[in-house]
Amino acid sequence: DGGITQSPKYLFRKEGQNVTLSCEQNLNHDAMYWYRQDPGQGLRLIYYSQIVNDFQKGDIAEGYSVSREKKESFPLTVTSAQKNPTAFYLCASMTRERAGELFFGEGSRLTVL
Amino acid sequence: KQEVTQIPAALSVPEGENLVLNCSFTDSAIYNLQWFRQDPGKGLTSLLLIQSSQREQTSGRLNASLDKSSGRSTLYIAASQPGDSATYLCAVQPGGSYIPTFGRGTSLIVHP
């Protein structure tokens, strides 16, 4: 089945550590996104990529980094510079060939201890 | 900058009611509008997508309409069930960009 796989589903991190969240899609989509979701805040865009080897900062990119070396993969690294990293992280992908329908993964919940 | 507003923020109804969720947007130059459902602790599930040239889309008990000129979309849920309890979000994708703008969602509780 085609879809987006995020891992791990739950992650605990000590302060000062970098962590990487995985996002893999087998939908052959060009565009991929990372969102952060906090209670009462709605979805906020961290980074997006429209094509391999290219990505752009979203609204809250500080303290995060990404790479897009393969079409199907868009990992997100939460660095120690991110002051409040505890949140629910969502990966999404989209292609304009399907009227721009956006698909999401199941999310990764990061907790900083 | 596109702004998307969803009203109400929360809604509690008895089972069996027909209900309407609203989504309004400020810039009518959109490519599409998409409705999602999110269960607690889960990702977003796509419910309906309306392209800018369309007026409505239907899937089972769900019907979404789009009025670009007034900047509004509604999601109609017929004969609501407890299993419909979730947060419903709308997202508007602009015509010249790949970046959708999301509303904050409507939290729906359908009680037996």
Side-chain angles (χ1 to χ4, degrees):
Chain A
D1 289 336
I4 301 175
T5 301
Q6 289 187 239
S7 63
K9 188 171 177 63
Y10 300 96
L11 186 61
F12 297 88
R13 183 194 100 173
K14 294 182 180 179
E15 284 191 17
Q17 290 182 335
N18 293 353
V19 294
T20 297
L21 307 180
S22 170
C23 179
E24 302 279 333
Q25 54 100 357
N26 59 5
L27 300 167
N28 199 33
H29 287 176
D30 291 310
M32 297 187 73
Y33 308 80
W34 274 106
Y35 291 92
R36 171 177 171 145
Q37 190 175 38
D38 298 279
Q41 292 269 14
L43 287 169
R44 293 186 288 172
L45 182 64
I46 305 172
Y47 269 98
Y48 66 98
S49 169
Q50 296 185 25
I51 196 168
V52 174
N53 293 323
D54 185 58
F55 49 83
Q56 305 295 327
K57 293 181 179 180
D59 300 319
I60 57 165
E62 185 175 351
Y64 299 96
S65 66
V66 294
S67 63
R68 188 83 187 279
E69 297 177 0
K70 298 185 296 182
K71 187 175 186 178
E72 59 270 23
S73 178
F74 192 40
L76 174 74
T77 297
V78 184
T79 75
S80 56
Q82 169 52 232
K83 298 188 185 307
N84 186 20
T86 294
F88 189 54
Y89 292 89
L90 288 160
C91 178
S93 71
M94 182 263 283
T95 176
R96 284 285 174 104
E97 293 177 4
R98 280 196 58 175
E101 187 172 10
L102 194 63
F103 293 86
F104 279 84
E106 282 295 297
S108 293
R109 181 165 298 280
L110 172 63
T111 302
V112 174
L113 304 174
Chain B
K1 180 181 176 182
Q2 178 76 272
E3 293 183 4
V4 178
T5 304
Q6 291 189 245
I7 295 174
L11 187 61
S12 180
V13 301
E15 182 177 5
E17 276 202 8
N18 301 324
L19 51 98
V20 174
L21 308 182
N22 297 292
C23 173
S24 62
F25 48 95
T26 55
D27 187 345
S28 62
I30 68 171
Y31 183 74
N32 66 35
L33 186 145
Q34 196 169 353
W35 283 93
F36 295 89
R37 168 186 173 136
Q38 186 178 29
D39 294 290
K42 302 288 188 181
L44 279 67
T45 299
S46 179
L47 296 174
L48 291 165
L49 180 144
I50 310 176
Q51 297 181 58
S52 63
S53 59
Q54 298 174 326
R55 296 282 293 181
E56 66 177 345
Q57 284 286 337
T58 299
S59 176
R61 294 183 293 108
L62 305 179
N63 176 276
S65 66
L66 174 64
D67 184 344
K68 280 199 311 179
S69 61
S70 66
R72 292 180 183 177
S73 176
T74 60
L75 178 66
Y76 176 82
I77 302 176
S80 59
Q81 303 171 358
D84 294 329
S85 298
T87 297
Y88 292 81
L89 297 97
C90 70
V92 174
Q93 193 170 146
S97 165
Y98 277 60
I99 311 302
T101 300
F102 284 83
R104 292 196 172 191
T106 294
S107 177
L108 172 66
I109 296 176
V110 181
H111 49 86

